[in-house]
Amino acid sequence: MRGVEELLPRDEWTRKLARSEATGQPLRIKLGLDPTAPDIHIGHTVVLNKMRQLQNLGHQVIFLIGDFTTLIGDPSGRNTTRPPLTPEQIKANAETYYTQAAKVLDPARTEIRYNSEWSEPLGAAGMIQLAAKYTVARMMERNDFHQRFTDGSSISLHEFLYPLLQGYDSVALKSDLELGGTDQKFNLLMGRHLQQEYGQEPQCILTMPLLVGLDGVDKMSKSKNNYIGITEDANSMFAKVLSISDTLMWDWYTLLSFQSLAEIEALKREVAGGRNPKDAKVALAKEITARFHSAAAADAAEQDFINRSKGGVPDEIPEVQLAGAPLGIGALLKQAQLAPSSSEANRLIDGGGVRVDGTVISDKGLKLEAGTFVVQVGKRKFARVTLGA
């Protein structure tokens, strides 16, 4: 139950466990993710970690890729209609999803399914029969639909199909337990309802809190650009974890760390007693970075961060070859992809954020002659630029 928001109904889950133990039959544990973007971020791993725990206990984990439901778009938590993706975008994203999820789950013990397997064969007649198993009144009890209706915002009919189809996934897979974020509760309960409608024993549901992103405000999301992708390089991953607030750090410890709750509480007491909270944050950053890279990569990322913080140059920086000396500093920053435009380069110079060979540049009219220079923008962007005539 660590980090769990709700387990419903708990008594049914206990009975399922007892039956599983008595018969030796593993329970079927389902998690569905829609491939709305090409990358999985560490917010997704909150639920994936719980799946791995259940997997380690011997149960059958089903990683469901919602390639069909993504065509509709999940309305959960939305105040507008979600724009649909093209089949080509969905296919490209889906190809990366399981590869990334396998960094958390045990691939040898994971059943991978796509809900197009049973959703596409439904056809028009099957879809009508499915829609007949739920009422509009019950659908409008859903918070986001109710709020949008009250506000006069549009609700497209196809959005009603999403929870129905996600619920039908549980029927197709004969799920015993479905996991999801707290924003998925309505959809998970739909699975229970439809299983009963189809004469199956209903699944239990387990919801996990949504991981708050780097901004400390909204849930971690690609669209909010407040995320850490699990395929990001070690240095970026480490630095991003260190960027979160001291308060948010403890939620991340509970939901992401593999340390015991007792160890986390002991660390909290040390910080409350005067220990620098940065020590705890560094430990968390190293744990997460090591999980998706290696312990050695985490150590190197820590040293890289120290070097950058002290104004030092990291061991490995991009090598850039440019021509056209003498070249203005603004144009150089743009061509070296250290600034998106010359005007942004000038703004960075005005703010004192540009260094060449360790010297802060204040002259926007500076022209660099042929040679090799270490150019730094802010604390984290570096390039070794070789400028030719």
Side-chain angles (χ1 to χ4, degrees):
M1 291 296 293
R2 170 172 169 173
V4 171
E5 185 76 19
E6 286 187 292
L7 173 58
L8 299 171
R10 192 160 178 170
D11 58 338
E12 286 185 23
W13 174 244
T14 304
R15 287 197 295 271
K16 285 177 184 283
L17 283 175
R19 186 181 66 219
S20 175
E21 184 178 31
T23 63
Q25 184 69 32
L27 296 174
R28 292 176 64 77
I29 315 294
K30 167 198 169 195
L31 170 68
L33 288 179
D34 283 355
T36 53
D39 294 319
I40 289 177
H41 55 64
I42 65 169
H44 294 122
T45 70
V46 172
V47 181
L48 287 170
N49 288 340
K50 189 62 64 177
M51 290 282 279
R52 179 60 185 261
Q53 290 172 20
L54 289 158
Q55 194 173 45
N56 289 344
L57 292 169
H59 297 294
Q60 179 59 58
V61 161
I62 307 163
F63 184 75
L64 176 64
I65 297 174
D67 58 335
F68 190 87
T69 41
T70 303
L71 289 168
I72 301 171
D74 186 359
S76 300
R78 305 285 294 186
N79 54 19
T80 58
T81 300
R82 183 187 291 273
L85 298 180
T86 66
E88 292 74 24
Q89 289 173 312
I90 294 168
K91 184 176 185 295
N93 293 346
E95 287 174 354
T96 67
Y97 256 46
Y98 179 67
T99 302
Q100 294 175 36
K103 291 178 177 288
V104 180
L105 301 176
D106 180 352
R109 295 184 294 160
T110 302
E111 182 180 333
I112 312 157
R113 303 294 290 272
Y114 294 80
N115 62 12
S116 57
E117 293 175 35
W118 48 84
S119 297
E120 285 182 357
L122 270 176
M127 198 72 76
I128 291 169
Q129 291 169 2
L130 177 61
K133 298 186 182 297
Y134 211 74
T135 68
V136 172
R138 289 286 305 279
M139 195 70 78
M140 291 305 296
E141 291 173 1
R142 179 176 168 142
N143 289 340
D144 36 30
F145 287 152
H146 177 77
Q147 189 61 50
R148 284 161 64 183
F149 183 76
T150 302
D151 293 343
S153 301
S154 65
I155 303 172
S156 298
L157 283 174
H158 78 282
E159 294 182 85
F160 284 175
L161 298 177
Y162 188 92
L164 283 169
L165 287 166
Q166 181 172 328
Y168 188 67
D169 292 343
S170 296
V171 175
L173 293 169
K174 296 181 172 59
S175 168
D176 289 304
L177 176 74
E178 182 171 10
L179 282 73
T182 51
D183 60 341
Q184 292 294 313
K185 183 176 178 178
F186 185 95
N187 295 343
L188 305 183
L189 289 171
M190 179 69 80
R192 278 180 60 82
H193 172 82
L194 291 179
Q195 283 178 309
Q196 289 172 306
E197 288 285 326
Y198 282 90
Q200 292 183 12
E201 179 183 282
Q203 67 183 14
C204 297
I205 68 169
L206 185 150
T207 60
M208 299 293 294
L210 302 175
L211 188 72
V212 175
L214 299 172
D215 56 5
V217 178
D218 295 311
K219 74 171 184 175
M220 185 169 286
S221 165
K222 295 276 289 184
S223 60
K224 297 286 186 182
N225 197 30
N226 63 353
Y227 70 98
I228 301 175
I230 66 172
T231 58
E232 288 192 34
D233 66 88
N235 290 355
S236 296
M237 189 174 285
F238 184 92
K240 284 185 176 182
V241 176
L242 279 194
S243 74
I244 66 174
S245 70
D246 294 347
T247 303
L248 181 60
M249 168 180 68
W250 297 119
D251 288 336
W252 280 36
Y253 256 109
T254 300
L255 296 175
L256 296 173
S257 175
F258 289 169
Q259 290 191 48
S260 70
L261 292 177
E263 290 171 322
I264 295 171
E265 284 302 316
L267 194 55
K268 273 187 180 180
R269 288 194 295 272
E270 290 179 19
V271 170
R275 184 176 178 183
N276 190 337
K278 186 180 177 183
D279 293 344
K281 206 178 297 181
V282 166
L284 180 63
K286 291 184 73 171
E287 179 185 351
I288 292 173
T289 304
R291 185 178 307 160
F292 297 107
H293 294 280
S294 67
D299 289 338
E302 180 183 19
Q303 189 57 52
D304 177 80
F305 187 86
I306 292 169
N307 290 342
R308 292 172 189 267
S309 299
K310 292 180 177 179
V313 180
D315 293 335
E316 294 185 13
I317 61 174
E319 302 278 350
V320 179
Q321 302 281 337
L322 298 177
L327 185 64
I329 183 64
L332 183 143
L333 292 174
K334 180 183 176 182
Q335 292 180 34
Q337 298 185 337
L338 293 169
S341 65
S342 296
S343 59
E344 177 64 13
N346 289 334
R347 189 191 67 77
L348 291 166
I349 293 168
D350 287 339
V354 176
R355 294 173 182 262
V356 175
D357 289 339
T359 301
V360 175
I361 302 301
S362 57
D363 179 10
K364 289 181 289 190
L366 174 69
K367 290 184 180 293
L368 295 174
E369 301 294 336
T372 299
F373 314 91
V374 173
V375 184
Q376 178 183 354
V377 174
K379 289 184 177 181
R380 300 184 58 216
K381 284 187 178 180
F382 289 83
R384 184 170 284 104
V385 180
T386 298
L387 182 59

